[in-house]
Amino acid sequence: MGEVTIQQVATEAGVSPSTVSNLLNGRNHRMLPETRQRIETAIDKLGYRPNRAARQLRTGRTSTIGLVVPSVGNPFWGALARHIESAALAEGYHVLLCNSERDPRRERDYIDELWADGVHGVVLCSSLPSLEHVMPLVERGLQLVAFDRTSQAGDPASLVSISVDNAVGSQLATQHLTDLGHRRLAYVSGALASVNRKERYRGFVAGLEQAGLDPAEALRAPTGSGADDFGDVEASELGRAAAAELVALDEPPTAIVAINDMCALGVCRGLRDGGLEVGKDVSVVGFDDIVLADLYAPTLTTVRQPMREMAAAAFSQLRSRLDDPGPSQGQSLLFRPELIVRESTAPPP
Amino acid sequence: MGEVTIQQVATEAGVSPSTVSNLLNGRNHRMLPETRQRIETAIDKLGYRPNRAARQLRTGRTSTIGLVVPSVGNPFWGALARHIESAALAEGYHVLLCNSERDPRRERDYIDELWADGVHGVVLCSSLPSLEHVMPLVERGLQLVAFDRTSQAGDPASLVSISVDNAVGSQLATQHLTDLGHRRLAYVSGALASVNRKERYRGFVAGLEQAGLDPAEALRAPTGSGADDFGDVEASELGRAAAAELVALDEPPTAIVAINDMCALGVCRGLRDGGLEVGKDVSVVGFDDIVLADLYAPTLTTVRQPMREMAAAAFSQLRSRLDDPGPSQGQSLLFRPELIVRESTAPPP
DNA sequence: ATGAAAGCGCTAACAC
DNA sequence: GTGTTAGCGCTTTCAT
């Protein structure tokens, strides 16, 4: 019941293991068609599959990449995982899934382990403003593609960043609201601890200013330290709590920009709890365009990230760097967001 | 920049590699505390991490398991992946993610590759009624835990199945509807091609009969061959299309049982398209209790699967079989579903 | 155009 | 209690 080895294939085909190996690795340009034929027959007959551990031990290469996301339980990250995996599969790569739960320590431990496993390429979806905790490995040759996080000053020089243009997206959303006539806007997000959150907020402020509104007067929720306590899975909880706060105000906002779709759905839920009708009493706009945005009642106006393309780019960047691990130039790919107008936004009542 | 090897650690600590290995593998009961100390110091100093490829090549074991799901883009599978990964991580295992996209061929290819990678344990979320395509590997020693699919007659003897009691769950849902006074029910699902779909439908029928209704008179949607064309990601699309059909009927149903939550959300969407109000004109009940069920408007009545427990069970079953790969008895674990009543169900108008 | 040989880093008998 | 030794299956010079 032992596995078939390259040795057995060689014996069966009447050649040496190295010849089989040569064929396997595409070094068959000057191989006799007959030899080649014999080997292929033997492989088929024996059902031979190369042992990856052995191959990896020898070459130091793996065709496995790591994917670190906050949580695949969140539909947004789930969708990313699906697309990354699909792009990887098409090139014969496998994906090791890591849920950081937005815990920096877990994130670091994971990357350490991936490295120890021989995984030299990782798509990292980190909320952390600094990537210092992974620098040692990057210096040792770890290839990193940051997803949903634009490059920062202290980042490793070779870092590739794939992200939607968050500021533009948020500004688009905000502008849509002010165009509809809204003057009293609120912004809902957790603590602006991560790069992309900051950028999205910046877009919100820019949108306000463009409409001649004073950002200082815009509402923010949830207030207080509570904002820090919400992780990624609970984005909807956060939105719901924030909406409750907002509804209780003397002068509630007529429009709300949420940090992302899950949060926006929570906001909608909280608004309903407070007896308000979304898309009528209050407008809500999200960010991401997850599948559920178009399913919700009312359907959610949101900013779409071109996920499939972004995922494909993330993988192909990683792959090309894995193939040529020389010291390479870092770069940022910023994708263009698109405003998708649906039912959750309307002129103020 | 080469990696630190066990040899270097040994040299540094002034011992032999085997002694280091012994410590690493917990064979340190009768080791001099001093030796142990020296080794640990050396490990820390050098930042040593064992090379898994080498270890795997030597022992034939991996601490990686495979997880094959239809698509992590679907929140239900995303949640499962998160929980499985979390259970695995707690025991030092890693999870290789595989999206089958409900393609039997992809499913098989994946499992073949996992096996070739030295992965001997797989949690398989297959919709397929037959597991014949993976039998050869099971016979070679592949440990398989089927998730969301109860054991079938032709299954491998050693198979472990983890599933919610689908029939009971569906019956609970149906009964809830008939208790509310509904007489004209519809069932929405794709083709009953998979084991769990069949079971859920059986529960629906049982619920009807228990209420003295004739299952033959119950509606089913979508009708026609269209039902086959929907995969997993598009469950919501299917629900929406089905609702459109149902709404167009002379006598539309007053209550709808959907195969799962994503489908139910699609149904709600379709109902709204048709101008009907969910939870008032029509009642809808789903299955799974994904996070969004409680976020939706109206909140969705559904049947909860105890995901975390089920995921933990799946992993621990797999693990124990991996640890003792002797020919083991197959078994089925059927978890108790729970009806969660929310706003989407009410007495008929 | 093919083969022989060495060794990747680790573990597990078996010595001592 | 610790060291010696012999590979696990594969790739890759270097010969031929």
Side-chain angles (χ1 to χ4, degrees), chain B residues 38-107:
Chain B
R38 281 215 314 283
I39 297 176
E40 281 169 347
T41 307
I43 289 179
D44 281 356
K45 180 174 169 198
L46 268 37
Y48 168 72
R49 308 273 306 205
N51 176 319
R52 288 219 197 195
R55 181 176 276 182
Q56 180 183 341
L57 179 58
R58 183 59 234 241
T59 63
R61 302 174 177 283
T62 345
S63 48
T64 297
I65 63 166
L67 173 63
V68 181
V69 294
S71 165
V72 276
N74 179 316
F76 176 73
W77 298 117
L80 173 70
R82 173 166 120 79
H83 287 131
I84 292 267
E85 198 261 355
S86 156
L89 178 63
E91 308 260 3
Y93 278 73
H94 286 176
V95 175
L96 218 32
L97 177 65
C98 311
N99 294 111
S100 71
E101 308 292 346
R102 287 221 189 274
D103 176 348
R105 193 207 147 96
R106 234 174 114 140
E107 192 171 300

Side-chain angles (χ1 to χ4, degrees), chain B residues 201-247:
Chain B
Y201 184 66
R202 198 156 56 74
F204 172 70
V205 169
L208 253 28
E209 285 171 344
Q210 190 184 320
L213 297 173
D214 182 1
E217 287 184 7
L219 273 25
R220 292 231 15 222
T223 53
S225 61
D228 295 345
D229 300 339
F230 291 92
D232 201 72
V233 196
E234 306 85 14
S236 57
E237 287 304 319
L238 176 131
R240 193 171 174 183
E245 271 188 38
L246 258 15
V247 167

